[in-house]
Amino acid sequence: MAEQFYTVASDSENTGDDKVQSAFPDLAIGIDIGTSKCSVAIWNGTQVELLRNPRNQKLMRSYVMFKDDSPSGGVSEELAHGEQEIFSGSAVFNMKRLVGRVDTDPVVHASKTLPFLVQTLDIGVRPFIAALVNNVWRSTTPEEVLAIFLVELKAMAEVQLKRRIRTAILTIPVSFSRFQKTRIERACAMAGLHVLRLMPEPTSVALLYAQQQQLSLHENMGSGIEKVALIFNMGAGYCDVAITATAGGVSQIKALLGCTMGGEDILQNVLCHLLPNFDTFCADHSMDKIKSMGLLRIATQDAIHKLSSQPSVIINVDLGDGNKVCKTLNRSEFEEVNSKLFEKCEKLIMQCLVDAKFTAEDINDVILVGGCSNILKIRSLVLGLCKRENLYEGIDLLEAAVCGAALEGAVASGISDPSGSLDLLTIQATPLSLGIRADGDGFAAIINRNTAIPARKDMLFTTAHDNQMEALIVVYEGEGKKVEENHLLGYFKITGIPPAPKGTAEISVCMDIDASDVLRVLAGVVLPGTQNAVSPFIEVRMPTLGDGHGWCAQALAKMYGSSLDLATIPKKLQQ
Amino acid sequence: MSFGVVPRSGNQTLHLWPNHVPATKIGGGGGGSWRVAQRRREGSWSAGLSSSSFRTRAAVEERGFVAAKGSFYELLGISEGGSYDEIKKAYKQLARKYHPDVSPPDRTEEYTRRFIEVQEAYETLSDPGRRALYDRDLARGLHLAFSTRKRFDEELEERSGWRNHWQDQIAELKRRSMNKDAGENLSWGARMRRQRAESSVE
């Protein structure tokens, strides 16, 4: 791979016409690793371009085949693996659903019906994941699978762009915890990619929308009128909602909300409906059962796609051993089977509107992206809640996220465009609240969700016991009122609290999120009534934890009980 | 998630940054050494900066500047009677200037802090309830009602406001589904439940 010896600085002297792809040696690529499909895009000097694999595909199936000695994804292979082969147990997919989760997570449990092996011991450690290689289950990890895949994506991009790729912008689901983000960064590092930024998917769509608004304003010579868009993104693994307000190229993410719910859940609901003993059907993971389950998955997936254009569809699969599925599935039945999921979608959208302090009437555009947006019920419910007749046009529902990531790549790499189409700024928001354990098992949020990034907030806490000299700062992320409902990010101990009756010492805890979304927690003892530190503060970059979230909190509780607890300062004492 | 959590307010402790400092540093994390040991000065926004991201020099330079800018209005560069649109416009302009994504690389730390201040000012002034409280404090000569102050009182109010709003939306949703009895507009699930309920009555 010959490297280009240009620098951005010298290139910026060129006119726009001279700019070719290789003119930006450090330009970050945008990568969207979907639960089901993935894609790569780059700013080519004038616009965003999606890269194609040797089979001329822009959207590539996300999986890694472990069949032969060297595992391979579907990117560079001249011959694609058939769906049936992917469901044979030899391929690992849906890694985005599994990455950074422990074996007590319901999402991991739901993955046990997948053809490859997902084993759980329910003790809060990472699940055992394995692919079938020569009739042996060979273990792997979600990070490894992602890394193998990323290596192929990177190689593909390097061949096409004729330069080395070092940096990337990746899109991630809104509901990813900070721990999951570190796992993605890890996978990227394994693949030799430096992550410039991880963008929640709808915010990358928001960036694309902002650019389109900016361009259309230029054409109409309009002024900086603010436009508000609701973005609903539902792919195979996750569902996200975001509300963005954009004016003059500046988009402000007003609210973000997401959950682990997507096409995979829809598929499983339908599979359960077709085959009541679906959960246990291939629990033994015998070759025959895996094969018939694969056939049923393919047929059901196909049927769900068809239901977007026809009122009913026939599913006919022979599962062997006298088991047979032969059923006509109509659209209303499909919607009934997934009614809970659709209700949850409605709740997400309404909560997001509330968080953004908007009503349906404030929304100018409704943007639907992700594979599940083809489902008629989803379209109608989103439009219904936003009281709109039509969806925003001009955004491709499968390519929007990666295009936004490529735009961010260009912006973050410092590329400027003479036409002003890269004159963009996104003010991101925190998708989840951040806080510490206080008042027993309570979660005291210090930075609330939907706080603009960068952010910095501090709060005072006090001791829970008389003459308490040490305190644990246990940092969590999430929306639960109790800490056990949230993700543990890390912990550290504050020492040297001057002996005093409980409730009198003051411990200041400050949380700081910088522009690159790095979280630092600072804590220390201050003299009551002043802001003077008693002894040096402690600064910790979070998350500090590797695996075993469940264990750490339990071990702390076992070792210290409530002796190092913190309490919030009651309101009346403030005055 | 407020449950009686109050960051300290108190009239004498209005401050923007935790002003304690000297700090030790553990855990990895970007460069920056921490020698800052600075006292908060009464009645200024002075910042005893305690993050590795904000360095001493910037803090010292900053202080004069920030202290000169007394109120949120001055920070945003608008008049005290400024309209919501003016506030928003000023905020976006300043965001374009100070957001770390667009600030000059050598001044990122300083600008990050500035951005957070601008953000704080915008959040306060763009919310009618908060703005009224802030104006009240300002009239009393408390120029510096800052993040610590608002967190409890205002957010509680705000949250109850949200709840009402949220309940309104739920009520609206229920009303819609009740009114549209024709079945056509009813969700499939709702229709099935109704059918079931009806058949069980029979």
Side-chain angles (χ1 to χ4, degrees):
Chain A
M1 209 90 6
E3 230 183 294
Q4 304 294 331
F5 293 101
Y6 307 119
T7 66
V8 176
S10 64
D11 277 319
S12 64
E13 289 158 17
N14 294 346
T15 60
D17 297 346
D18 295 337
K19 284 183 181 171
V20 288
Q21 287 163 8
S22 56
F24 310 119
D26 288 321
L27 178 54
I29 55 170
I31 302 179
D32 176 26
I33 316 178
T35 306
S36 152
K37 298 253 170 75
C38 66
S39 46
V40 181
I42 191 157
W43 176 257
N44 71 6
T46 47
Q47 61 186 39
V48 171
E49 187 185 320
L50 265 77
L51 303 183
R52 291 168 190 270
N53 70 1
R55 273 172 284 124
N56 208 27
Q57 291 173 314
K58 288 193 281 187
L59 301 168
M60 292 150 275
R61 190 92 162 76
S62 306
Y63 70 90
V64 167
M65 181 65 76
F66 284 86
K67 208 165 149 194
D68 310 308
D69 282 340
S70 57
S72 63
V75 179
S76 56
E77 288 289 296
E78 288 292 333
L79 283 169
H81 298 105
E83 284 286 288
Q84 213 172 318
E85 220 178 337
I86 294 172
F87 293 136
S88 68
S90 302
V92 177
F93 52 93
N94 278 13
M95 31 248 184
K96 205 162 92 176
R97 293 260 285 196
L98 290 164
V99 71
R101 289 185 195 271
V102 291
D103 65 355
T104 43
D105 193 315
V107 177
V108 174
H109 280 255
S111 303
K112 284 158 103 176
T113 57
L114 296 173
F116 57 91
L117 193 63
V118 178
Q119 217 178 58
T120 60
L121 295 168
D122 302 306
I123 55 167
V125 292
R126 58 161 66 206
F128 177 80
I129 292 164
L132 196 59
V133 187
N134 301 326
N135 221 21
V136 170
W137 290 108
R138 184 185 286 176
S139 81
T140 181
T141 62
E143 292 85 358
E144 186 181 52
V145 176
L146 280 170
I148 294 168
F149 202 73
L150 284 165
V151 165
E152 290 194 4
L153 286 176
K154 184 176 162 222
M156 176 192 104
E158 285 180 339
V159 168
Q160 286 184 40
L161 301 174
K162 299 183 178 63
R163 67 175 172 91
R164 187 179 277 182
I165 309 274
R166 291 190 197 85
T167 51
I169 306 275
L170 273 85
T171 59
I172 50 161
V174 169
S175 57
F176 258 25
S177 70
R178 281 180 180 270
F179 178 69
Q180 284 175 300
K181 289 184 195 174
T182 63
R183 299 287 97 181
I184 295 286
E185 277 163 353
R186 173 125 207 216
C188 287
M190 285 160 83
L193 279 172
H194 172 66
V195 179
L196 217 52
R197 196 156 289 186
L198 293 175
M199 284 185 102
E201 273 152 41
T203 70
S204 97
V205 178
L207 184 62
L208 186 63
Y209 172 74
Q211 191 209 28
Q212 292 183 353
Q213 294 311 306
Q214 184 79 329
L215 292 178
S216 70
L217 278 179
H218 277 305
E219 281 159 22
N220 304 334
M221 298 299 285
S223 60
I225 307 156
E226 186 173 75
K227 289 192 86 179
V228 178
L230 182 136
I231 299 160
F232 182 88
N233 168 39
M234 191 166 175
Y238 294 88
C239 177
D240 301 323
V241 191
I243 294 174
T244 172
T246 177
V250 181
S251 26
Q252 229 185 319
I253 305 299
K254 292 281 191 179
L256 275 175
L257 209 57
C259 70
T260 312
M261 181 174 81
E264 179 63 32
D265 300 280
I266 292 176
L267 179 67
Q268 292 204 6
N269 287 344
V270 177
L271 285 170
C272 274
H273 177 65
L274 296 172
L275 193 68
N277 65 341
F278 160 75
D279 280 345
T280 52
F281 182 76
C282 56
D284 64 351
H285 269 86
S286 73
M287 296 293 282
D288 292 343
K289 292 277 174 62
I290 290 173
K291 196 181 168 204
S292 18
M293 187 52 73
L295 290 174
L296 188 60
R297 259 185 174 267
I298 295 165
T300 310
Q301 234 165 30
D302 191 46
I304 294 172
H305 290 159
K306 281 186 179 151
L307 282 177
S308 295
S309 53
Q310 61 195 54
S312 72
V313 63
I314 296 165
I315 299 168
N316 195 346
V317 180
D318 187 355
L319 300 175
D321 286 342
N323 279 317
K324 215 170 182 179
V325 171
C326 185
K327 201 173 170 9
T328 304
L329 184 69
N330 59 41
R331 196 179 288 155
S332 52
E333 203 177 344
F334 167 74
E335 288 172 6
E336 166 62 5
V337 163
N338 288 298
S339 60
K340 277 203 182 118
L341 183 142
F342 294 138
E343 276 168 28
K344 216 167 158 190
C345 292
E346 291 187 334
K347 278 189 188 147
L348 274 184
I349 294 170
M350 290 197 300
Q351 183 65 53
C352 201
L353 280 168
V354 172
D355 285 359
K357 298 178 205 161
F358 280 136
T359 60
E361 284 75 15
D362 299 320
I363 306 292
N364 299 105
D365 287 305
V366 179
I367 303 172
L368 222 59
V369 288
C372 289
S373 306
N374 282 320
I375 295 171
L376 298 174
K377 176 69 189 172
I378 301 237
R379 280 175 182 245
S380 66
L381 82 82
V382 177
L383 284 173
L385 285 174
C386 297
K387 299 179 183 164
R388 307 287 296 196
E389 296 294 319
N390 298 305
L391 293 170
Y392 178 74
E393 285 171 12
I395 274 191
D396 184 292
L397 57 93
L398 296 177
E399 297 175 6
V402 75
C403 289
L407 272 183
E408 179 74 14
V411 174
S413 303
I415 311 289
S416 64
D417 186 72
S419 72
S421 56
L422 288 180
D423 206 3
L424 302 166
L425 173 66
T426 308
I427 301 166
Q428 289 281 1
T430 51
L432 296 166
S433 300
L434 292 159
I436 66 166
R437 178 173 175 268
D439 298 334
D441 286 328
F443 172 70
I446 295 177
I447 295 185
N448 284 305
R449 76 158 184 267
N450 296 324
T451 299
I453 298 174
R456 187 184 177 104
K457 307 261 172 179
D458 62 336
M459 208 185 250
L460 281 177
F461 293 86
T462 188
T463 47
H465 305 283
D466 292 336
N467 299 323
Q468 184 181 335
M469 303 196 35
E470 297 183 328
L472 272 178
I473 309 286
V474 192
V475 181
Y476 286 88
E477 178 181 55
E479 303 307 320
K481 285 198 161 66
K482 293 281 165 204
V483 285
E484 59 259 38
E485 300 161 46
N486 299 329
H487 312 281
L488 177 63
L489 296 180
Y491 43 83
F492 58 98
K493 192 168 76 173
I494 294 294
T495 56
I497 304 172
K502 68 177 176 189
T504 44
E506 287 185 1
I507 292 121
S508 170
V509 181
C510 173
M511 290 193 167
D512 179 287
I513 302 175
D514 71 12
S516 19
D517 198 32
V518 171
L519 170 68
R520 288 186 179 85
V521 180
L522 298 103
V525 187
V526 292
L527 287 174
T530 75
Q531 288 297 317
N532 300 335
V534 169
S535 55
F537 265 52
I538 293 181
E539 184 197 71
V540 183
R541 185 173 164 165
M542 295 278 168
T544 55
L545 283 185
D547 283 322
H549 302 49
W551 283 11
C552 295
Q554 280 165 22
L556 286 174
K558 197 176 161 194
M559 191 72 170
Y560 301 104
S562 66
S563 64
L564 302 188
D565 273 14
L566 280 177
T568 51
I569 296 179
K571 192 189 174 195
K572 55 178 183 286
L573 296 181
Q574 296 284 314
Q575 304 306 324
Chain B
M1 238 108 313
S2 55
F3 39 107
V5 179
V6 193
R8 178 173 185 88
S9 61
N11 296 340
Q12 297 310 305
T13 53
L14 300 164
H15 66 288
L16 173 51
W17 306 101
N19 300 296
H20 7 69
V21 210
T24 39
K25 185 176 170 191
I26 57 175
S33 53
W34 284 76
R35 265 151 289 126
V36 197
Q38 199 175 319
R39 288 240 19 215
R40 176 181 59 90
R41 288 195 320 195
E42 215 69 54
S44 79
W45 289 14
S46 86
L49 296 185
S50 44
S51 157
S52 57
S53 19
F54 305 141
R55 300 214 176 105
T56 321
R57 189 172 41 83
V60 172
E61 282 171 7
E62 231 17 37
R63 222 154 17 105
F65 176 77
V66 169
K69 295 207 159 205
S71 74
F72 285 161
Y73 294 103
E74 287 164 42
L75 182 66
L76 293 181
I78 53 169
S79 73
E80 289 187 20
S83 69
Y84 175 59
D85 284 338
E86 280 169 358
I87 291 165
K88 206 151 68 174
K89 206 173 157 200
Y91 164 68
K92 294 227 161 151
Q93 265 171 8
L94 290 171
R96 291 217 118 186
K97 186 172 171 196
Y98 293 132
H99 193 284
D101 281 3
V102 288
S103 62
D106 56 328
R107 300 184 73 181
T108 305
E109 289 149 10
E110 171 196 343
Y111 277 31
T112 296
R113 194 158 60 81
R114 202 78 72 78
F115 174 79
I116 296 175
E117 291 166 1
V118 167
Q119 182 71 32
E120 188 91 47
Y122 163 74
E123 278 171 16
T124 305
L125 299 185
S126 63
D127 180 300
R130 271 195 208 175
R131 184 175 175 179
L133 273 175
Y134 177 77
D135 286 348
R136 196 188 62 195
D137 286 350
L138 199 63
R140 284 189 198 153
L142 300 172
H143 282 241
L144 308 150
F146 235 113
S147 53
T148 45
R149 147 114 218 164
K150 79 169 188 251
R151 205 170 282 145
F152 185 70
D153 300 329
E154 289 169 32
E155 241 163 66
L156 203 70
E157 280 166 26
E158 209 177 292
R159 263 162 209 272
S160 63
W162 288 6
R163 181 155 304 127
N164 293 339
H165 192 72
W166 166 239
Q167 279 163 349
D168 286 350
Q169 292 204 353
I170 303 249
E172 161 76 0
L173 200 74
K174 279 194 184 137
R175 192 185 55 74
R176 271 202 311 153
S177 63
M178 283 309 164
N179 288 349
K180 293 177 182 173
D181 235 353
E184 204 78 7
N185 292 316
L186 220 52
S187 81
W188 168 252
R191 222 173 345 172
M192 291 306 278
R193 281 191 292 278
R194 182 166 303 180
Q195 270 177 20
R196 249 184 236 151
E198 279 164 7
S199 61
S200 67
V201 167
E202 286 159 18

